[in-house]
Amino acid sequence: MKHTTNMLFLLITSFILASCSSNNKQDKTQPNILFIMTDDHALQAISSYGHPISKLAPTPNIDRLAKEGFLFTENYCANSICGPSRASVLTGKHSHANGFMKNDGTKFNGEQATISNILQENGFETAVIGKWHLNSLPVGFDYYRILNDQGEYNNPDFITKEGTTQETGYVTELITEFTQDWLSNRNSDKPFFLMMQHKAPHRNWVPAEKYYRLFENTEFPIPDNYFDNYQGRQAAGGQEMNIYVDAYEGHDLKMVTGLDSDTLLYDRWPDVFFGRMTDEERKTFLEAYRERNNDYYLTERTEKEKAEWKLQRYLQDYLACVKSVDESIGEMYQYLEENDLLENTIVVYTSDQGFFLGEHGWFDKRWMYEESFRMPLIIRNPFIDKKGVSINQFTQNIDFAPTFLDMLGVDSPTDMQGESILPLMESNSEDVPWRESLYYHYYEYPGFHSVKAHNGVKKGHFKLIHFYKDKVWEMYDLDKDPDEMHNIYGQAEYKTKQEELHNELDSLILKYQVPDKYLH
Ligand code: SGN
Ligand code: CA
């Protein structure tokens, strides 16, 4: 009897001690997820992926997540554009199956089975902070503080359940601050699922004031295919996303009307850029860019040199935006550490799709070509005792929801089309039976940047793309042609491979039940 009383006393004391050791009352064996998604963050701009651009603009804080976790080297999106990618992340489904196929004003149906609805029903505290861009308000979230539509870099509006408020400051820093505020004030009896969604580095690439001049003396490498002539690739010839043709000189490239001018050249959307700054902020901005803008007019340049100048301006601003994102990741890491959350919070880093950093002459995304099809994915999972592991299997954003549910111990609905990638992390990934091909489908045409609708399959190092409205096919051998410059479709030597890819595409269309009306 005495023994039992002692045991009971011990148990109660250790329980009290455990719950007093931090202000975080939740059971430590129950994981939380911090899901961080940036907007348009190219793999080429994350040092862990090893691209030469990122050597000049390193991302040490994002890299630390990879060093302490898993780097997915072959992760892809299902439809390389904002709203559709976000809808796939939330639902675990391809665009046709979740109903959000284009960024054309479609309203996301938040009542369907989403990761937030499911986790909320299963006792998780759910929140989304930052970019949302699904045209309907978040459903299944206990808390939201989201940007309006694309959001603004300077002094942006945020929407909460209480209404819209204009905040003072730089968007990346505000999102970090609001995320930490939520964590500090959350119901800490429950585990959380928190989506922190940065606007940066989305167009028009406005850096934080302290970083306006960060890369002003950095010459980034010019891609070999910057002056692509799109030979053999009909659809690529018709796009409107060329840095030296289509980028707005004032809005995107921050160019002014002449020597010492304070007026931007064609400021396409003053409301979201200069219109958001105070007079003082505009002045500081113009001063920071003055020397470089004057140099544009003081130095004679050929058309080719002007195009190269524009690439440098684009990359300097884009990477300066990334610098703030990386800093934000460092601040979140520190917050988790200081608040005793690092060892029971799974941190996921990704972007809504890939992005072109001058390859083919382009900015933007949308294509099934590698730069925009690929998505960064890094997961730091303290519940698995492995560090610095690369996973090279084909994963996709439709896998995110089933993976998160699996990691949190919640069943996935059977109609989710993605697969949990947790087994790839737990076992030796090479030994796990896994998919050998990926399905892709982009719908938004006509639309911004004039990229024709297409679908396709990637299998091994081969890719088949169908621009189905024009009945045009493309095929690439990525081992021989990683930049996708040589369309080998119809070439005799690839006949067998081509047939194999056609069959694979047909079987994926069946597997994912893509309605016939979307294939013509
Ligand atoms: C805006 C951009 C486009 C971009 C789309 C979609 N123009 O329309 O360049 O492709 O958003 O971006 S802008 O001048 O208004 O920035 S997405 O991230 O929402 O998919
Ligand atoms: Ca995007």
Side-chain angles (χ1 to χ4, degrees):
M1 181 70 188
K2 193 160 181 250
H3 179 73
T4 330
T5 324
N6 276 347
M7 279 294 286
L8 201 67
F9 174 76
L10 253 176
L11 267 171
I12 294 170
T13 339
S14 48
F15 177 75
I16 294 172
L17 278 176
S19 33
C20 292
S21 65
S22 78
N23 60 359
N24 168 31
K25 288 172 248 155
Q26 165 209 334
D27 169 8
K28 289 283 183 203
T29 58
Q30 170 62 60
N32 306 300
I33 292 184
L34 168 61
F35 173 79
I36 307 173
M37 183 156 70
T38 40
D39 197 0
D40 297 354
H41 193 178
L43 249 83
Q44 306 91 293
I46 297 177
S47 331
S48 308
Y49 286 100
H51 191 277
I53 287 182
S54 65
K55 299 242 161 43
L56 298 169
T59 50
N61 294 298
I62 299 173
D63 300 340
R64 176 165 54 184
L65 298 178
K67 282 190 200 118
E68 296 176 5
F70 300 85
L71 178 79
F72 292 79
T73 62
E74 298 281 342
N75 185 59
Y76 295 82
C77 58
N79 180 359
S80 181
I81 178 112
C82 182
S85 174
R86 287 158 204 266
S88 287
V89 167
L90 290 167
T91 60
K93 290 180 180 170
H94 278 282
S95 305
H96 67 274
N98 65 44
F100 201 105
M101 295 149 67
K102 305 177 196 174
N103 263 3
D104 62 351
T106 304
K107 286 193 189 328
F108 178 65
N109 168 16
E111 302 299 333
Q112 60 187 307
T114 58
I115 178 93
S116 55
N117 284 327
I118 298 169
L119 288 176
Q120 196 180 44
E121 280 158 20
N122 279 276
F124 284 76
E125 190 78 348
T126 53
V128 55
I129 293 154
K131 183 158 171 180
W132 174 249
H133 204 208
L134 287 168
N135 300 317
S136 53
L137 289 171
V139 178
F141 290 92
D142 297 303
Y143 178 83
Y144 59 79
R145 194 165 188 175
I146 54 170
L147 295 169
N148 180 23
D149 196 55
Q150 291 283 6
E152 300 92 14
Y153 274 103
N154 302 93
N155 307 321
D157 285 343
F158 279 86
I159 303 168
T160 64
K161 287 182 183 168
E162 277 71 51
T164 304
T165 315
Q166 183 172 5
E167 303 291 345
T168 305
Y170 181 66
V171 71
T172 307
E173 290 161 12
L174 290 170
I175 290 172
T176 314
E177 182 189 324
F178 296 160
T179 304
Q180 296 190 356
D181 283 352
W182 180 80
L183 278 168
S184 300
N185 296 308
R186 76 190 195 282
N187 173 359
S188 58
D189 292 337
K190 291 184 180 182
F192 63 81
F193 176 71
L194 168 58
M195 303 181 97
M196 175 190 190
Q197 309 197 145
H198 279 299
K199 174 198 168 55
H202 189 273
R203 192 181 187 185
N204 65 333
W205 316 295
V206 185
E209 201 172 286
K210 62 182 173 181
Y211 292 135
Y212 285 160
R213 307 182 68 159
L214 181 66
F215 294 118
E216 67 176 359
N217 296 317
T218 308
E219 283 268 325
F220 291 100
I222 299 173
D224 291 343
N225 59 1
Y226 187 50
F227 295 101
D228 194 349
N229 61 11
Y230 313 117
Q231 208 181 2
R233 288 153 295 146
Q234 184 183 314
Q239 51 54 52
E240 293 169 0
M241 56 168 69
N242 194 295
I243 293 164
Y244 44 95
V245 179
D246 304 301
Y248 303 130
E249 292 181 319
H251 180 73
D252 292 322
L253 302 172
K254 292 89 180 181
M255 295 167 70
V256 290
T257 50
L259 207 56
D260 270 326
S261 164
D262 285 346
T263 307
L264 292 172
L265 264 171
Y266 188 41
D267 185 6
R268 165 89 191 222
W269 281 285
D271 292 358
V272 300
F273 181 28
F274 263 23
R276 280 273 156 180
M277 292 182 177
T278 62
D279 291 348
E280 198 54 39
E281 285 167 344
R282 256 192 309 273
K283 204 163 149 257
T284 310
F285 179 93
L286 286 161
E287 282 313 316
Y289 283 78
R290 190 173 307 282
E291 214 180 302
R292 282 177 288 163
N293 276 343
N294 278 348
D295 179 63
Y296 183 80
Y297 287 106
L298 290 169
T299 313
E300 212 166 302
R301 288 185 169 83
T302 62
E303 287 308 307
K304 181 168 178 278
E305 286 164 345
K306 282 183 187 163
E308 289 172 352
W309 187 95
K310 287 183 173 180
L311 174 71
Q312 295 303 334
R313 167 60 57 88
Y314 162 57
L315 292 177
Q316 286 167 0
D317 283 347
Y318 179 95
L319 291 154
C321 290
V322 168
K323 175 73 181 173
S324 290
V325 167
D326 188 63
E327 234 167 54
S328 159
I329 309 315
E331 284 165 24
M332 289 312 301
Y333 188 101
Q334 194 183 342
Y335 180 96
L336 296 178
E337 203 167 30
E338 286 171 4
N339 290 277
D340 203 14
L341 286 166
L342 195 59
E343 293 320 316
N344 63 339
T345 301
I346 297 166
V347 181
V348 180
Y349 185 85
T350 190
S351 169
D352 60 345
Q353 2 73 202
F355 211 67
F356 292 95
L357 297 185
E359 301 86 358
H360 303 284
W362 298 340
F363 61 97
D364 217 68
K365 52 265 178 173
R366 299 162 192 266
W367 300 95
M368 198 193 171
Y369 300 139
E370 291 292 282
E371 291 83 355
S372 48
F373 183 26
R374 287 178 79 186
M375 270 170 96
L377 177 62
I378 296 170
I379 301 182
R380 184 187 188 278
N381 185 343
F383 294 89
I384 301 177
D385 192 19
K386 289 185 189 175
K387 281 186 168 48
V389 178
S390 282
I391 295 189
N392 309 319
Q393 271 87 344
F394 284 158
T395 57
Q396 202 165 23
N397 56 354
I398 56 167
D399 299 329
F400 289 13
T403 303
F404 300 161
L405 292 171
D406 196 9
M407 293 195 298
L408 298 175
V410 176
D411 288 340
S412 288
T414 48
D415 69 341
M416 278 192 177
Q417 296 179 321
E419 309 276 337
S420 168
I421 62 184
L422 183 58
L424 298 178
M425 293 186 258
E426 284 175 336
S427 315
N428 179 359
S429 63
E430 307 295 326
D431 300 337
V432 178
W434 197 248
R435 67 164 73 90
E436 289 183 351
S437 63
L438 292 164
Y439 181 69
Y440 180 83
H441 202 143
Y442 171 80
Y443 296 86
E444 197 181 309
Y445 185 88
F448 244 103
H449 303 296
S450 293
V451 175
K452 292 277 173 83
H454 56 287
N455 67 350
V457 58
K458 182 171 183 183
K459 185 167 190 226
H461 57 92
F462 284 93
K463 191 186 284 182
L464 179 71
I465 312 179
H466 192 201
F467 296 91
Y468 46 82
K469 293 274 181 204
D470 298 331
K471 301 186 176 58
V472 169
W473 293 90
E474 291 182 11
M475 181 172 153
Y476 297 96
D477 176 347
L478 293 160
D479 268 1
K480 289 196 181 144
D481 177 25
D483 297 335
E484 295 161 293
M485 300 292 286
H486 306 288
N487 176 10
I488 54 172
Y489 190 82
Q491 290 185 7
E493 63 199 281
Y494 290 103
K495 192 166 177 284
T496 317
K497 187 46 93 178
Q498 190 174 303
E499 268 168 31
E500 181 192 328
L501 291 171
H502 271 291
N503 290 337
E504 191 71 20
L505 181 57
D506 290 345
S507 71
L508 290 178
I509 286 169
L510 274 179
K511 174 177 173 188
Y512 294 123
Q513 299 176 312
V514 188
D516 188 62
K517 62 180 174 187
Y518 298 140
L519 301 172
H520 308 281

